[in-house]
Amino acid sequence: MSALIKKTLLVCGTIAGAFALGFGYSYWQAKPADIHFEHCSALQQGRCSWFVEQQQWQISLPSNTLPAMLAQPLRLSTDLENPPPLELRLQGKDMYMGEVKVKLQANANGSYQSELLLPICNTGKMRWRAEITSLDASRPLALSFEVDSQ
C-alpha cells in the first residue's frame, strides 16, 4: 500500500508541476514588457494625433462613437519611412467583453487601413481602450486612445 501511495503522489506531483510550468510559461509569454503608451486623451471628430520620437502618427475614425456590430473604417498614417507592422487591441473599460485584435500592415505611402467591428454591449453604450503596438521589437511603438460604441 505504501508503494501505491508513493506512485499516486508522484503522478499527482508530476501533473501539478507540468500544469504550473505551463501556466507560468503562458503568463510570461502574455505579459508585455513595461510599455509606456503615448495616450491621446480625447478623439476630436474621430481623429487623434501623436508625435513620438520625431514621428507624426494620426488616426482617423468616422466619429467619436462607433455603432456596434457594424464594420467601421479605421485609417492610421505616419510620416515614418518603412513603418512597422502594427497590432490594434481594443478592450472594454466599463466591463470585460473580450479583446478585439486587428493586425495593421502599412502600404507603400505609410498608411494603414482596416475595419473595426465592435460587439454589442447589453447596457447599450461601451467605452473601449485601444492600444496600438508594433509587432517589430526592434522598432517599438505604443499608442493608445479611447472610443465609445453603442
Side-chain angles (χ1 to χ4, degrees):
M1 184 128 138
S2 170
L4 180 61
I5 292 173
K6 285 182 182 178
K7 286 181 182 180
T8 303
L9 288 174
L10 180 63
V11 169
C12 289
T14 303
I15 291 171
F19 180 79
L21 284 174
F23 180 78
Y25 180 75
S26 66
Y27 176 77
W28 176 74
Q29 288 289 85
K31 185 179 178 188
D34 291 332
I35 298 175
H36 170 71
F37 283 90
E38 296 293 329
H39 186 69
C40 179
S41 58
L43 287 173
Q44 298 296 324
Q45 298 169 341
R47 294 181 180 4
C48 246
S49 295
W50 301 267
F51 194 70
V52 180
E53 295 184 14
Q54 302 177 1
Q55 305 299 323
Q56 179 75 31
W57 292 87
Q58 192 169 36
I59 195 161
S60 174
L61 298 167
S63 72
N64 295 355
T65 302
L66 303 177
M69 296 306 294
L70 184 61
Q72 296 294 301
L74 170 134
R75 289 182 179 75
L76 179 68
S77 61
T78 182
D79 57 2
L80 181 66
E81 290 182 24
N82 189 25
L86 303 175
E87 181 176 69
L88 171 72
R89 291 182 182 205
L90 288 123
Q91 193 171 53
K93 284 194 67 164
D94 303 328
M95 71 175 74
Y96 183 74
M97 292 182 57
E99 191 172 76
V100 177
K101 290 183 186 179
V102 178
K103 288 192 178 176
L104 303 170
Q105 188 67 42
N107 61 21
N109 63 359
S111 66
Y112 302 77
Q113 293 184 11
S114 187
E115 289 190 340
L116 291 179
L117 182 64
L118 299 175
I120 292 177
C121 177
N122 62 1
T123 63
K125 189 171 183 177
M126 182 71 178
R127 184 113 180 129
W128 298 87
R129 176 176 167 88
E131 297 179 344
I132 300 169
T133 54
S134 174
L135 295 174
D136 183 350
S138 67
R139 298 184 289 168
L141 179 71
L143 310 173
S144 66
F145 64 95
E146 293 180 6
V147 65
D148 294 322
S149 70
Q150 58 182 89

